[in-house]
Each structure stands twice: as C-alpha cells, then as structure tokens.
Amino acid sequence: EKPGADSSELTFSYQLDMDTFLQPISFKGSATMVKEETQAHQGWYVAWNPTFIFPEMAEGDKVRASTLAPKRGTIMDRGGHHLATDKVVVDVCIVPRDWQRAPQGDQQKLLHVLATTSEALASMLQASSANPDSPVRLATLPEEDTRLALLANVNGVTLSKKEVRYYPFKEAFAHLIGYVGPIDQKKWEALKEKGYTPYDLIGKAGLEQLYEEELRGTGGGIIKINDASGALKKVIAEKPATNGKTIALTVDATLQQTIYEQMKQ
C-alpha cells in the first residue's frame, strides 16, 4: 500500500519461504518501513525486527541447528552373534604441557597401568609433533576396562569416550565383513545429496560396503530457538534419526572361528 505524502511509516505484509536441511519452512509476517533523512538523501528504511527470522524470536534469541546421526546397523550370524556392531571405547590421552607438570608419582602410575616405559612414552610424544596444549592419544581401551578407574584421577591424563565400529571375531571374519573408514572427497561429492557429510564413516570393503545403504540409516536433526540465557524457547523443526537395519547372515560364527583357528595352524 502506497503511503500518503505526509506519512512517515509504511506497514506491509510478506511471506517467507526457506528450505532447510530438514524440511521447507514457511510463515507470514509484517514489517514496517520508516521514512528517514540522511546526509545523502531522504529514503525509506526497514525497521529491523527479530521476527523477520522467525515470528517467535525476540532480541537476544539465537537460532540453533544440529544434526542427529543414525546408529549404524548391526551385522549378525545366523545364531544372533554380533559380527559388526558399535562399541563405546575410551581414549587415554595426555596434554604434553600438563604432563610435564604432573607429579612423579602420577607419571609412574600411568606407565605402570599402560605397561609402558618413559622412553616409549617420550617417543610417542615426539612422533606426534603435536602442539604442547593438544591431547596426545596413548591408548584406546574398552569402556569396561578396569584400568580406566586407576587412571581417572591421574594428573595430566584425560579420558575421552567415543563410539567405534567393533568386530568381535576380528580376523576370522575380516574377509567377509570388511570395515568402515572416513569418506574420501570423491565419494562424498557423489553421495552428499544423500545426506553424507565430509566427516562421515562409510563401508570400505566387504559387507560393510555392500550393505552401506541399509546399514547407514537416515540422519535427522533439530532447528530451535534459544533465548538469551541459552534456554530452549521453541522447536522450529525436528526430525528423528532412523537407525540402520540389522543384517542377518546365514554363516555360523562359531564354526567359522573354529575353521579359522585350524587353518591358522
């Protein structure tokens, strides 16, 4: 609507449509334009309002978007034994600068628990050529390893949990199951339309590669508004992740392990 000659404000309606990584979002709103005179000229300017981003927003609010990764499917034998699954492990790390200041008793305790020597540890730190403030991984232990409790309060040591792909039968099934690894640039370019990111793991060989699409699942995510204090104010869009499928094979893990042990001799 065109303003009158004496009007200094103009209100108009608009519709905003946007694509997001979850779903299209659309809403209607209104905005006000104000006639202002600057040194250069007189003109109309939009009076900024946070509701232009989303109607529920106010000053100080932030929009947060995050992805939800699916859990990779399990590969099992005909008896239900896991041949490929996910497992939580713990990285045992030290920060070189902090480690130098750690008490001698703590240093000796770490060497004893990990069954290593000060010379071997020094060699690992030198080989890492890391920033003295960056953690250096010394070992990766299963979450249930009793040694972790002994290392929990050692000065200079940090314990960091992570989930990894785990193959309980190891070499006995390696040729069949294959493995996963970081996606390379060329593969990512070909698959990014399917939701892959440059940081994803992907099947590299064997059944991990053959059944990649079924095992991977579908990622989800959330788009939300947090207020100035960081508290959740509004969920704009949300999509749960769909975990990968379980692949059940006709092979027998116990028989395969027995044959492998015999052939190894």
Side-chain angles (χ1 to χ4, degrees):
E1 179 183 344
K2 190 174 181 179
D6 297 332
S7 176
S8 60
E9 287 191 2
L10 167 65
T11 300
F12 63 93
S13 299
Y14 65 88
Q15 177 166 319
L16 188 145
D17 300 287
M18 69 175 83
D19 288 326
T20 74
F21 71 101
L22 294 179
Q23 63 192 47
I25 294 176
S26 176
F27 64 86
K28 294 181 179 179
S30 63
T32 300
M33 297 189 72
V34 180
K35 184 188 291 185
E36 293 183 356
E37 188 169 339
T38 66
Q39 292 180 348
H41 65 281
Q42 179 176 284
W44 289 88
Y45 299 89
V46 175
W48 170 254
N49 189 313
T51 61
F52 294 168
I53 304 174
F54 288 114
E56 301 84 0
M57 290 196 70
E59 287 293 340
D61 290 351
K62 301 288 184 182
V63 178
R64 302 297 186 199
S66 57
T67 58
L68 299 173
K71 184 177 177 64
R72 192 171 181 86
T74 298
I75 302 176
M76 302 192 304
D77 81 336
R78 66 185 184 188
H81 299 100
H82 288 183
L83 306 179
T85 187
D86 289 338
K87 183 175 183 177
V88 175
V89 296
V90 180
D91 283 339
V92 179
C93 307
I94 60 174
V95 176
R97 193 186 302 278
D98 295 341
W99 183 245
Q100 292 173 3
R101 297 194 290 259
Q104 188 68 24
D106 282 342
Q107 294 190 12
Q108 290 302 317
K109 186 174 183 179
L110 173 69
L111 297 175
H112 174 72
V113 171
L114 295 184
T116 188
T117 65
S118 56
E119 291 77 16
L121 180 58
S123 179
M124 292 177 66
L125 294 176
Q126 185 175 6
S128 70
S129 64
N131 182 304
D133 294 315
S134 298
V136 175
R137 182 170 62 86
L138 304 180
T140 299
L141 304 177
E143 186 182 30
E144 64 276 10
D145 196 307
T146 56
R147 289 174 291 176
L148 293 172
L150 301 175
L151 296 171
N153 297 315
V154 175
N155 288 291
V157 173
T158 60
L159 304 177
S160 178
K161 287 186 178 182
K162 66 180 180 182
E163 198 169 72
V164 297
R165 197 64 167 164
Y166 177 59
Y167 304 101
F169 289 87
K170 301 180 174 65
E171 294 89 347
F173 272 100
H175 62 294
L176 176 64
I177 302 302
Y179 64 97
V180 297
I183 192 170
D184 58 55
Q185 180 69 22
K186 184 177 180 180
K187 195 72 173 178
W188 174 69
E189 290 287 349
L191 294 176
K192 62 183 179 181
E193 296 300 325
K194 293 186 176 182
Y196 283 85
T197 75
Y199 314 104
D200 281 342
L201 296 178
I202 190 170
K204 294 281 190 175
L207 298 182
E208 289 277 33
Q209 182 181 44
L210 182 65
Y211 288 111
E212 168 63 25
E213 188 170 340
E214 291 90 339
L215 290 167
R216 178 176 180 267
T218 306
I222 185 170
I223 301 172
K224 58 187 178 180
I225 298 173
N226 289 349
D227 64 21
S229 69
L232 176 64
K233 183 176 182 180
K234 170 85 174 180
V235 173
I236 300 298
E238 186 174 15
K239 177 184 175 183
T242 302
N243 293 332
K245 296 178 181 178
T246 295
I247 304 295
L249 308 179
T250 59
V251 297
D252 186 303
T254 304
L255 178 60
Q256 173 65 19
Q257 184 71 45
T258 300
I259 295 172
Y260 173 76
E261 294 297 337
Q262 292 181 359
M263 293 294 290
K264 198 165 68 169
Q265 299 176 31

